[in-house]
Amino acid sequence: MENIFKKVRTEKDLNNLKRLITKTPELYREILEVRKELNKKEHFLNTKTLVKKILHIEKKAHERGKTKTPTNSELLLMFQKRVGDGRESLDEESKKEVEQILKRLKVRSNSGVTVVSLLTKPYPCPGRCIYCPTEARMPKSYLSKEPAAARALANNFDPYKQMISRLKALEINGHPINKLEVIIIGGTFDYYKKEYQEWFVKEIFRAANEYKKERDKISSSKPLSLVELQKENETSECRIIGLSTETRPDYINFETLNWLRYLGVTKIEIGVQHLNQNVLDFNKREMTRENIAQATEMMRSVGFKFVYHMMPNLPKSNPEMDVQMFGDLYNSKDFHPDMLKIYPCVILKTSLLYKMFTKKEYKNEVGEMSGFDYEPYSDETLIKVLTDAEREIKNYTRVLRMIRDIPATYILASSKKSNMRELVDEYQKKVGFIQKDIRAREIRDNEVDDKDFNLRITEYETNFGKEFFLEYINEKENDKLAGFCRLRLQNDHFDKELSKYENLKVLIDKTALIRELHVYGTVKRFGEEGDQSQHIGFGKRLMAEAEKIAKENNYKKMAVISGIGVREYYKKLGYYLEGSYMIKSLE
């Protein structure tokens, strides 16, 4: 049968095709061959015995007349093979449409980069938070059946194996892997020994550099240093354009930030959870609002992008306090997060909160037993809290997540809705609320006409500097966002501290900072032409505007906290590498 993909344009068309394949012996035999090839690719790091076992199970199921519905990745490979041998005759535009509909989890690559999450090994945590689960074979707060954690466990937490297997899976599912944002998860990264931190990051870069190489061309004679691996990644086919870690605010200091710059980190995620001190204290968070504010300003002064993890529905809080908390993020000079991950509190087995909730009591600070009457929010209440919280969020913040992907079997009480963000979106549409955070406005993979977009600049003060958020928006389309830049102009408050550290001293003496430059649209191969926003100059325009603002304010040079894989881009704009930053004189 030929041209079976010709009319596939929607999810409904795709489901109809899947049913056709399972009912047609000729087509199902074809999908079995594809499945066999994908199994070998996906499990190439595991044993041959495992691959044989998988194929044996497939064969026996087929012999019993049982058919398994094809996955999108199987259909994508099937389609590519059919196009290659002429059984699918489509023009280029139709071919791209079919490939796009076959890409599973398109959001992984339609914000301009492809995200890869890697988990560190099980290790003690300095915190005692009552809501955190403790699973023996997992880092603190992670659960073995969470998707990223399960992948890490299957690869024995080896960063190289995790990276290779993830790249393989993404590639099989049709996602470009030339621009990678790598997120290191697993608790308080800065609590691990430095030797382990450096080894983990080195293995990430080694995997990215070696992924597209032929096995016999990978040199094993002399291990490369981290700096050498980073240098190689500047021109690698799989470039790491962003690297982030997780930590606690009270672990942020300039010595740590200097070390993270050496590793190539560009973004830091910190567990804020709440801003009310009574709530923080009761939940044994063991930090203060002052810790959070100080950490935030230090991260900004070094150019880092940063993510706050926020946790509504904590014991001792309530809906009104939670909504106020999000307002407090923006009503002083202390916070103003670049990004947010919102993780409503859930009661998980193996956490202290689980014991407190089931026994209805807890031991207070003086060792006496007290009653515990905590009642988690209903789904309806949580949806309203999240909607009202989002009203407080500014245009320069991106809401990365609104729920943590925890399997329902782990949750004793609280919301088990894994699609909470969709439910919030539906409720917001019903009440007429239009989201204004970055994620809600980005153009994703839509085509753009640069004539429809104009520059808007938002300014806000922080404790020791001023932030400029430059963005190209389409005002006629609810401020749809094509690209943005975060520029920081800071005073000399931290110059004395910065001058002590090799990787940070380039930032003193009237140096402006580009903390982030991001242009949205479908990920394109390096050098590939296209009509998405990544190819019509928004990035260059934003950089020119940022340099202009810095000059007008008498700053001498510009520093960019560039991901390793983006250094070549900044070189073309006149920047050079000094320490761990890309630098350009403005004089």
Side-chain angles (χ1 to χ4, degrees):
M1 298 179 68
E2 297 184 357
N3 289 323
I4 61 173
F5 288 88
K6 191 171 185 178
K7 294 183 179 180
V8 175
R9 294 294 184 275
T10 66
E11 292 292 337
K12 184 177 179 181
D13 296 336
L14 189 58
N15 290 332
N16 288 336
L17 176 60
K18 289 178 180 180
R19 282 192 287 271
L20 174 67
I21 290 173
T22 56
K23 292 178 181 178
T24 308
E26 176 190 346
L27 294 176
Y28 196 69
R29 282 195 296 272
E30 189 177 337
I31 208 72
L32 282 177
E33 289 301 313
V34 167
R35 189 170 293 159
K36 186 189 299 183
E37 185 174 336
L38 286 179
N39 275 329
K40 287 179 179 177
K41 285 183 178 180
E42 282 200 84
H43 298 282
F44 78 106
L45 283 173
N46 296 322
T47 65
K48 292 181 180 179
T49 305
L50 177 58
V51 175
K52 287 180 179 179
K53 184 178 180 181
I54 292 167
L55 298 178
H56 178 72
I57 292 170
E58 291 283 356
K59 184 179 178 181
K60 289 296 182 183
H62 182 51
E63 287 174 355
R64 292 195 303 270
K66 291 186 177 180
T67 56
K68 176 184 172 186
T69 302
T71 64
N72 285 17
S73 57
E74 291 166 352
L75 288 174
L76 181 61
L77 182 56
M78 182 183 184
F79 175 67
Q80 291 168 343
K81 285 179 174 293
R82 283 174 150 260
V83 168
D85 61 26
R87 284 179 291 164
E88 297 290 332
S89 53
L90 300 172
D91 57 42
E92 283 301 312
E93 185 177 344
S94 298
K95 193 175 86 170
K96 285 183 179 179
E97 285 184 35
V98 174
E99 287 183 335
Q100 191 67 13
I101 206 72
L102 290 172
K103 284 184 182 180
R104 188 169 59 89
L105 301 176
K106 289 182 285 185
V107 293
R108 289 197 178 277
S109 57
N110 65 8
S111 292
V113 297
T114 301
V115 178
V116 177
S117 297
L118 309 174
L119 197 70
T120 50
K121 68 181 181 180
Y123 199 71
C125 176
R128 300 185 301 149
C129 311
I130 67 172
Y131 48 79
C132 261
T134 303
E135 193 173 327
R137 54 182 183 168
M138 282 286 123
K140 180 77 170 178
S141 88
Y142 283 87
L143 301 161
S144 58
K145 290 183 181 178
E146 291 180 272
R151 290 193 297 266
L153 188 61
N155 288 287
N156 199 28
F157 300 97
D158 184 302
Y160 185 93
K161 290 181 178 180
Q162 287 185 70
M163 188 77 174
I164 293 292
S165 63
R166 198 72 194 111
L167 292 179
K168 180 66 68 175
L170 288 164
E171 192 172 39
I172 285 171
N173 283 294
H175 297 284
I177 54 171
N178 60 320
K179 298 178 183 179
L180 304 172
E181 180 179 355
V182 178
I183 301 174
I184 301 174
I185 57 179
T188 307
F189 185 73
D190 301 307
Y191 195 64
Y192 286 81
K193 292 181 179 179
K194 282 189 173 182
E195 293 80 7
Y196 176 79
Q197 294 178 39
E198 183 171 7
W199 169 79
F200 198 93
V201 173
K202 280 176 65 176
E203 289 297 277
I204 292 171
F205 278 101
R206 186 169 73 89
N209 294 343
E210 294 181 355
Y211 182 73
K212 288 287 187 178
K213 290 182 181 179
E214 295 176 23
R215 293 285 105 185
D216 59 355
K217 291 185 178 179
I218 296 174
S219 173
S220 58
S221 57
K222 179 188 174 185
L224 298 178
S225 68
L226 175 58
V227 173
E228 290 170 328
L229 288 167
Q230 290 174 340
K231 180 65 178 175
E232 183 179 337
N233 190 253
E234 290 180 18
T235 53
S236 170
E237 287 194 51
C238 299
R239 300 182 199 177
I240 297 174
I241 67 169
L243 180 64
S244 72
T245 60
E246 294 182 331
T247 195
R248 290 168 55 96
D250 49 342
Y251 270 68
I252 296 292
N253 54 55
F254 283 112
E255 182 179 352
T256 294
L257 298 177
N258 179 65
W259 171 253
L260 293 176
R261 286 306 301 133
Y262 162 71
L263 295 180
V265 173
T266 56
K267 181 173 73 179
I268 301 174
E269 301 190 25
I270 59 172
V272 172
Q273 320 310 7
H274 215 284
L275 295 178
N276 181 282
Q277 196 60 52
N278 289 333
V279 175
L280 291 172
D281 291 344
F282 183 84
N283 287 277
K284 299 186 184 296
R285 189 64 186 142
E286 297 174 331
M287 70 177 61
T288 64
R289 282 177 63 120
E290 289 71 28
N291 291 147
I292 299 163
Q294 290 167 5
T296 299
E297 201 69 355
M298 283 191 280
M299 288 187 293
R300 272 204 193 95
S301 71
V302 179
F304 282 104
K305 303 177 284 290
F306 59 94
V307 185
Y308 278 5
H309 292 193
M310 306 302 295
M311 191 173 283
N313 198 21
L314 280 168
K316 298 300 179 183
S317 187
N318 58 52
E320 292 73 24
M321 289 171 63
D322 285 344
V323 174
Q324 180 185 338
M325 167 180 73
F326 283 90
D328 287 348
L329 290 174
Y330 301 97
N331 62 16
S332 73
K333 296 181 179 181
D334 288 339
F335 307 115
H336 298 272
D338 299 326
M339 286 161 263
L340 288 172
K341 285 184 177 179
I342 305 174
Y343 293 141
C345 181
V346 292
I347 301 175
L348 300 170
K349 298 171 184 177
T350 75
S351 70
L352 177 57
L353 180 57
Y354 176 87
K355 296 177 182 177
M356 293 165 61
F357 184 78
T358 52
K359 292 182 179 180
K360 301 299 181 185
E361 62 180 7
Y362 73 100
K363 187 179 290 186
N364 61 29
E365 291 300 322
V366 295
E368 299 171 342
M369 297 307 295
S370 300
F372 185 63
D373 58 357
Y374 171 62
E375 189 63 40
Y377 301 162
S378 67
D379 288 335
E380 292 75 17
T381 299
L382 185 57
I383 288 169
K384 290 178 182 178
V385 167
L386 293 174
T387 295
D388 290 340
E390 199 158 8
R391 296 180 193 277
E392 305 291 340
I393 295 171
K394 303 298 183 185
N395 64 302
Y396 48 82
T397 298
R398 187 171 197 265
V399 181
L400 295 167
R401 285 192 181 183
M402 201 168 272
I403 197 75
R404 184 169 162 182
D405 191 9
I406 298 174
T409 52
Y410 282 109
I411 301 172
L412 172 69
S414 311
S415 179
K416 297 184 180 182
K417 301 287 187 184
S418 60
N419 64 333
M420 179 56 69
R421 187 159 200 160
E422 293 174 26
L423 298 175
V424 172
D425 288 347
E426 289 173 7
Y427 178 78
Q428 289 174 341
K429 288 177 184 177
K430 188 188 298 183
V431 298
F433 172 67
I434 298 175
Q435 301 166 347
K436 59 178 179 283
D437 82 288
I438 292 171
R439 185 183 184 276
R441 297 186 295 117
E442 64 188 39
I443 60 171
R444 299 186 182 273
D445 57 352
N446 293 333
E447 294 184 359
V448 298
D449 183 342
D450 63 334
K451 295 176 184 176
D452 295 333
F453 290 80
N454 52 47
L455 180 68
R456 178 172 70 185
I457 302 175
T458 303
E459 301 178 28
Y460 55 96
E461 298 277 350
T462 70
N463 285 310
F464 304 114
K466 180 182 281 190
E467 295 283 326
F468 295 79
F469 183 73
L470 296 77
E471 56 181 338
Y472 273 102
I473 60 168
N474 184 340
E475 293 177 346
K476 296 177 182 178
E477 296 290 336
N478 291 324
D479 293 348
K480 276 295 181 184
L481 178 62
F484 68 86
C485 175
R486 299 186 194 275
L487 168 68
R488 176 169 178 79
L489 303 182
Q490 62 188 7
N491 59 32
D492 60 1
H493 179 82
F494 288 121
D495 277 11
K496 186 175 180 181
E497 283 295 320
L498 294 172
S499 65
K500 297 176 183 177
Y501 299 98
E502 189 64 29
N503 290 305
L504 308 182
K505 63 184 181 182
V506 297
L507 303 178
I508 64 173
D509 192 22
K510 297 293 283 184
T511 300
L513 273 162
I514 298 288
R515 298 196 299 112
E516 184 173 14
L517 176 69
H518 201 130
V519 177
Y520 290 103
T522 301
V523 177
K524 291 290 179 181
R525 309 289 177 187
F526 289 109
E528 183 178 337
E529 295 300 320
D531 52 8
Q532 281 77 18
S533 59
Q534 290 184 332
H535 298 275
I536 56 177
F538 282 131
K540 292 178 182 178
R541 294 186 213 175
L542 287 164
M543 289 296 293
E545 287 291 339
E547 290 171 8
K548 178 183 174 184
I549 293 170
K551 284 181 184 178
E552 290 172 349
N553 285 273
N554 300 315
Y555 280 75
K556 298 178 181 178
K557 59 183 178 179
M558 183 73 80
V560 182
I561 187 168
S562 168
I564 305 300
V566 204
R567 286 176 178 172
E568 288 295 305
Y569 172 80
Y570 291 110
K571 287 177 184 177
K572 293 176 183 177
L573 300 182
Y575 287 75
Y576 61 92
L577 183 64
E578 184 176 343
S580 61
Y581 294 84
M582 300 302 293
I583 303 293
K584 182 178 182 179
S585 172
L586 299 177
E587 294 184 304

